[in-house]
Amino acid sequence: MTRPALAIVTGARRGIGAAIAIDLAAHGFAVAMTDLADPADTADPGAAHTLHAIESRAGRARFFPSDLARVEAHPALVQAIADWGGPVEVLVNNAGIAAPSRGDLLDVQPRAFDEVLGVNLRGTFFMTQAVARHMLQTTPAHPARPRTIVTLSSVSAELASIERAEYCLSKSGLPMLTKLFALRLAAAGIAVFEIRPGIIQTPMTQPVAAQYGQRIAEGLVPMQRWGQPEDVARAVSALASGQLAFATGSALSVDGALSIARL
């Protein structure tokens, strides 16, 4: 019996990452979920809930505790995941953190800057590097379908928010990361994509939900609604399916037309 294709989803215990893990499992992937929290942690049951949602639908998933900022641990993490589920065929770079606080651009502190870029950009780069090396060194279990790397950036890769500079800077590097890995891996048939979510209703946006809700009501988002984690998850699954076999290095906005320039 052929193993299901194996996908890694970083930052999968809640929000967008959880929705992606559940949707990929529904499309037949075995899912390795990584995040800081442990499923046994009763104070933060998100990972356990996501695992249950997958397993209750007869999907296969396992949680691997991981700190994306600890880049030296990435090769061992990828090997542990491969030992569990076979060669990695999909990587979804979802994990990321918000700016510790919103405020004046002139007040950003080096510690906050380093923390955010250390996860969102540096951590994502070296996780992608570790998985790319693994992919090049292994034979895919499903050779008829291209292997895929999808990185979630943000509309903040292009739209400036001066009250959270470190976050915007961390996301602005991910489009180039996507292009670089797309070029490096194209000859091996590994497709690399970027997804730019807009204003998505998640625990990360909960502290500013009232502010965003008001701005959406006033027309900030042309589709006139919040985005949902499932909106992003469906886009990821479409890219991971391998149906866009001659596309790589492309960016897809999932933002209700928020990022389209208007007069």
Side-chain angles (χ1 to χ4, degrees):
M1 182 176 176
T2 303
R3 282 180 168 180
L6 174 61
I8 299 174
V9 182
T10 67
R13 82 181 190 273
R14 62 180 187 173
I16 293 173
I20 292 169
I22 292 167
D23 203 70
L24 286 173
H27 282 81
F29 288 91
V31 182
M33 303 161 45
T34 76
D35 214 318
L36 287 169
D38 189 292
D41 183 0
T42 57
D44 184 0
H49 287 170
T50 306
L51 280 170
H52 176 72
I54 292 171
E55 292 169 351
S56 66
R57 296 169 174 82
R60 185 166 185 252
R62 181 172 170 182
F63 187 86
F64 292 82
S66 169
D67 181 353
L68 190 63
R70 293 188 62 240
V71 299
E72 69 280 1
H74 292 175
L77 171 66
V78 174
Q79 186 59 56
I81 290 171
D83 289 344
W84 168 72
V88 178
E89 300 195 30
V90 173
L91 167 65
V92 182
N93 288 312
N94 165 75
I97 60 174
S101 63
R102 294 177 180 235
D104 193 331
L105 171 68
L106 304 183
D107 293 332
V108 174
Q109 297 298 306
R111 181 175 179 179
F113 185 97
D114 292 346
E115 179 183 2
V116 174
L117 269 75
V119 174
N120 296 358
L121 184 55
R122 185 173 183 267
T124 298
F125 176 88
F126 284 104
M127 184 63 180
T128 305
Q129 182 190 74
V131 172
R133 286 173 171 168
H134 165 83
M135 287 180 169
L136 292 174
Q137 293 166 1
T138 56
T139 301
H142 302 80
R145 179 169 56 193
R147 290 167 291 177
T148 309
I149 296 172
V150 182
T151 296
L152 273 65
S153 63
S154 168
V155 291
S156 296
E158 286 192 340
L159 303 181
S161 299
I162 60 172
E163 74 278 6
R164 51 191 184 121
E166 60 270 59
Y167 180 81
C168 292
L169 285 166
S170 73
K171 292 297 184 177
S172 70
L174 297 177
M176 181 54 70
L177 179 152
T178 299
K179 293 173 184 177
L180 292 168
F181 278 99
L183 288 171
R184 176 62 178 84
L185 301 175
I190 300 169
V192 185
F193 298 102
E194 176 199 356
I195 289 181
R196 297 179 185 175
I199 302 173
I200 311 296
Q201 203 161 31
T202 68
M204 184 180 286
T205 55
Q206 183 57 38
V208 289
Q211 173 187 341
Y212 276 139
Q214 179 64 33
R215 295 189 67 191
I216 290 170
E218 293 170 350
L220 177 65
V221 178
M223 279 193 177
Q224 301 181 355
R225 70 170 176 88
W226 282 83
Q228 297 300 319
E230 291 74 18
D231 293 317
V232 182
R234 284 189 287 269
V236 171
S237 292
L239 295 176
S241 69
Q243 309 245 346
L244 304 180
F246 198 53
T248 190
S250 306
L252 173 63
S253 294
V254 182
D255 65 359
L258 169 64
S259 59
I260 297 176
R262 288 162 278 174
L263 288 174

